[in-house]
Amino acid sequence: MTAELVRGQNHPLPRTRLEIRVSAGTPVVAGATLGDARGAVGGAERVAHPGSPHLPGLEVSQQAAADHRLAVDPEALPADVHRVTVLLALPAVAGGPTRFGAVPAPFVAVTGLDGDEIATFTLTGLDAESAVSALELYRRQDAWKVRAVGQGYAGGLADMLADQGVSDAAALAGSIQEAVARALARSVAPPPRAPGGDRVRRPAGPAGPLPPAPAPEPPAATAPQPHTPQPRTVPGQDGPAPATGGPIAYTHPRRQPAAPPPAAPTAPPAPPAPPGQPAQPVAGDAAGWSMDERLYNQIWGMFEDLARAVAAYRSAVDFAESRMDQELDRALSDPRNRIGGAGDRAREQARAKRDELASRAREALDRDLAQLAAEAAVVEPALPAAYAGWGNPVWHAHRVPMEMPMALRIGDLHLPERTDLRVPLLVRLPLERGIWVDSGRTASEAAASVDADRLRRLAVETAVAHAARLLAVHPPGEFSVHVIDPAGSAAGPLAPLVEAGVLAGPPASGAGGVAAVLARLTRRVDLVQMAVRARAADSLPPDLDTAEQLLVVNDFPHGFDDRAVTQLRYLADEGPSVGVHLMMVADREEASAYGPVLDPLWRSLLRITPVADSHLADPWVGHAWTYEPLAVPPGSRVLEEVLAAVAAARRAAGR
């Protein structure tokens, strides 16, 4: 029976691995401290946080999220640890909430290995506090208990850490917020939660359950949801446990299956599956008002399913390794077992159990990967041009649309567990943040193996391809592209855009050209912002281009003085909200002379690469995904054909 705690109340805990689940209506930072018998923490090495998520017996999330899972193994904690305090704090991000009184009350639950809730606590009554000690696990006479704390701190994370005796608490708090900012910068933004919930995937077939292994996953930020008691879950999985075993269930906590809205077109029914086999996948098998929206939601569902399936597998393997180590420690702690055959037998038995658990986890993962691969094989040919790769035949018959699509594909993502299973990376339109095509050679091993000049050319070609896709999916005249190429070094890769006549003007070069383009776009942002604030859109000058604007900047910071850099930062910060977007082709090392001044600029942009690189993180678990840029098939002229169609559509529309 679950104990619903109030402040100050405690409850006994089992001496097994535990999971602490945090649910909030807004992204929060979750961490934990290890205290001694007096509760003193001491140094930063006793604090688990996004920048240092692993401590003996403790693991926390690596990024801010609305939901967290923290793993605690009391048996693996250091002997001098008597208290584990769970901390929550609001991330210091622009535009985010600054006090817990402005967000829904966080909910914290302690669960056991079977997934059942042992104790829960809702942190009500918070107001000006921006950090809070949620609860603590403490040891009394060799038994562990949990106590609801709910102590808030208006002074934020630094005050909370200082109250626990952490030396140099302010510096540590700053480093934690810095780690959170870095994680947010590399994380792919999740799509808005669809009304009514998301899809629910069916189990793939009969199989044994996964070994107990709760994964410390930070799911994506979601809209506030009322807490309701959840059915029993298998640790390492995110949904109700099958009655007789089965592979990973994809029913996530607090997610309810929902039928598509009544007005939505329905996907064709899947052919009946043989008994004991999964249903055949169907393109568009998700909620949505249109087929494009259904496919968009289905792709994001596949993305999340793959992230969670791999997280469950990795957590299961980690658990198997941890249990083997503990069994060996217990067996070999007796000196009599260190000699003769007893020690060898203990090692063999522990390794055999480890191998069995890891093998069962891999079998479950392989079934789920096969199901996702079958779904991907059905979905990919059905994608519209905006979601499709350059090799998809849909681009050869492309016609410029009359309305903007929901999203645009800018690459593919995959994980090392199965590199041939690719998930399209879709970004919402209009763009919510700019794009940075990294032309540097120091960012990854793949980039370091490419000649510097070749890498720069690939980066510009990547930017050109993305600009062409953006032009092709917008109605004629509703998207304009400007190019800044200060030294004229990208004339070759820019040729398709220039020759098709789809640019707003010739590529700007030299300091004068840079200043003119930046001044024009900065003026546009200022005027539109003033018109919006004054609710006077009809007062905009007649010569103002009201179409969405994309500025492609090559070879930054060459040709940029301090004023130009300031204007560029202004466009990156203020432009997206009024239809001015930035695409940078740059090597961060070449701009190192500006120091931390440009750090906010880099963080505001979604970094992609012209070669494969593992730098993007999903918003649910935080895996490092390998990004693959979209490549035009060798010998194909699809890019030139698409740009010619854009130019023809503009001429026909008189633009």
Side-chain angles (χ1 to χ4, degrees):
M1 182 176 179
T2 302
E4 298 182 1
L5 305 180
V6 296
R7 278 184 175 84
Q9 189 176 2
N10 59 37
H11 188 76
L13 295 173
R15 297 178 61 89
T16 58
R17 188 174 181 181
L18 304 169
E19 185 176 81
I20 300 171
R21 300 187 179 187
V22 178
S23 298
T26 189
V28 297
V29 182
T33 60
L34 303 181
D36 57 19
R38 297 180 295 105
V41 175
E45 70 279 359
R46 288 296 186 98
V47 182
H49 56 83
S52 178
H54 304 282
L55 292 179
L58 177 64
E59 187 170 2
V60 303
S61 305
Q62 300 183 45
Q63 58 192 46
D67 297 277
H68 292 270
R69 294 186 176 189
L70 286 66
V72 180
D73 188 350
E75 295 294 316
L77 291 170
D80 62 338
V81 171
H82 290 258
R83 187 177 302 176
V84 179
T85 304
V86 177
L87 314 175
L88 303 179
L90 293 172
V93 296
T98 58
R99 58 188 186 91
F100 274 106
V103 301
F107 173 84
V108 185
V110 181
T111 70
L113 283 176
D114 58 359
D116 286 342
E117 291 179 346
I118 300 171
T120 65
F121 176 42
T122 303
L123 285 77
T124 57
L126 298 175
D127 186 13
E129 299 89 347
S130 60
V132 60
S133 295
L135 52 78
E136 63 181 17
L137 282 59
Y138 63 97
R139 177 159 40 190
R140 286 289 185 273
Q141 298 178 350
D142 208 31
W144 283 90
K145 294 184 178 182
V146 58
R147 176 187 292 120
V149 180
Q151 174 64 52
Y153 296 84
L157 193 56
D159 280 8
M160 180 169 57
L161 293 172
D163 190 46
Q164 296 194 32
V166 177
S167 58
D168 203 2
L172 177 58
S175 67
I176 293 174
Q177 294 290 4
E178 178 73 13
V180 171
R182 288 196 302 267
L184 288 174
R186 65 187 289 266
S187 177
V188 179
R193 179 60 57 91
D198 299 281
R199 71 177 187 166
V200 176
R201 185 182 289 284
R202 298 288 184 261
L210 283 175
E217 305 171 2
T222 60
Q225 304 253 348
H227 174 72
T228 55
Q230 297 300 313
R232 181 176 67 85
T233 59
V234 176
Q237 301 180 191
D238 289 300
T244 58
I248 300 167
Y250 288 85
T251 308
H252 302 154
R254 290 174 296 285
R255 296 176 73 186
Q256 300 296 325
T266 58
Q277 297 296 320
Q280 297 298 311
V282 176
D285 187 15
W289 291 101
S290 66
M291 192 60 176
D292 284 4
E293 185 178 359
R294 295 168 68 87
L295 287 168
Y296 173 84
N297 290 332
Q298 185 173 15
I299 289 171
W300 272 93
M302 294 165 59
F303 188 9
E304 184 174 0
D305 289 346
L306 180 55
R308 293 185 180 277
V310 171
Y313 165 71
R314 292 179 181 178
S315 182
V317 172
D318 290 343
F319 173 79
E321 293 284 350
S322 175
R323 195 171 84 165
M324 180 187 70
D325 293 339
Q326 293 179 22
E327 290 178 351
L328 287 176
D329 289 342
R330 285 194 295 267
L332 300 180
S333 61
D334 187 347
R336 292 172 296 181
N337 291 336
R338 298 176 188 171
I339 59 176
D344 293 337
R345 286 193 298 273
R347 293 185 184 91
E348 291 176 1
Q349 291 173 358
R351 288 168 182 157
K353 289 180 182 178
R354 185 271 315 271
D355 293 343
E356 179 187 2
L357 292 175
S359 176
R360 289 166 58 193
R362 184 71 211 194
E363 289 175 2
L365 176 67
D366 287 341
R367 282 192 300 272
D368 295 316
L369 293 181
Q371 187 178 358
L372 282 168
E375 186 172 9
V378 172
V379 169
E380 187 70 37
L383 295 178
Y387 302 173
W390 286 116
N392 193 311
V394 69
W395 277 108
H396 292 282
H398 178 65
R399 296 292 181 268
V400 178
M402 297 307 295
E403 61 180 21
M404 180 180 66
M406 282 187 62
L408 181 74
R409 184 173 183 169
I410 63 170
D412 293 329
L413 299 172
H414 66 81
L415 291 171
E417 280 74 10
R418 182 162 176 177
T419 57
D420 64 325
L421 179 53
R422 309 293 177 91
V423 177
L425 174 57
L426 303 180
V427 294
R428 288 295 294 262
L429 294 179
L431 294 173
E432 298 170 348
R433 61 193 293 198
I435 296 175
W436 166 28
V437 185
D438 192 352
S439 60
R441 300 181 67 240
T442 60
S444 68
E445 293 183 3
S449 64
V450 181
D451 176 75
D453 292 338
R454 172 63 177 161
L455 189 63
R456 289 192 185 94
R457 184 180 181 89
L458 287 174
V460 180
E461 290 175 350
T462 300
V464 168
H466 289 316
R469 293 174 72 88
L470 285 164
L471 286 164
V473 301
H474 281 81
E478 293 191 12
F479 196 86
S480 297
V481 177
H482 309 260
V483 174
I484 290 179
D485 184 22
S489 59
L494 290 172
L497 294 174
V498 175
E499 293 172 359
V502 294
L503 294 179
S509 60
V514 172
V517 173
L518 292 176
R520 186 162 59 250
L521 292 178
T522 301
R523 172 178 175 269
R524 184 193 183 281
V525 171
D526 290 338
L527 291 174
V528 174
Q529 283 185 337
M530 288 188 291
V532 170
R533 284 194 293 265
R535 299 182 180 179
D538 55 350
S539 65
L540 289 171
D543 63 335
L544 188 75
D545 184 2
T546 57
E548 296 282 312
Q549 309 287 315
L550 176 69
L551 173 60
V552 180
V553 178
N554 179 50
D555 209 14
F556 177 81
H558 183 81
F560 281 73
D561 55 20
D562 290 345
R563 175 180 172 81
V565 170
T566 301
Q567 289 177 315
L568 194 68
R569 286 188 54 186
Y570 176 74
L571 292 177
D573 293 338
E574 303 294 335
S577 63
V578 290
V580 177
H581 312 286
L582 187 61
M583 184 179 295
M584 298 267 294
V585 181
D587 178 359
R588 186 169 182 174
E589 293 296 322
E590 294 181 356
S592 58
Y594 286 94
V597 173
L598 290 180
D599 285 351
L601 172 64
W602 303 120
R603 289 178 188 162
S604 69
L605 305 175
L606 174 62
R607 175 177 172 259
I608 61 175
T609 52
V611 294
D613 186 34
S614 302
H615 68 278
L616 289 176
D618 64 82
W620 305 284
V621 189
H623 292 315
W625 293 73
T626 298
Y627 168 82
E628 293 272 1
L630 296 176
V632 176
S636 173
R637 293 190 54 81
V638 62
L639 181 64
E640 289 77 5
E641 293 172 0
V642 167
L643 290 174
V646 170
R650 286 187 169 188
R651 289 193 297 270
R655 301 297 179 93

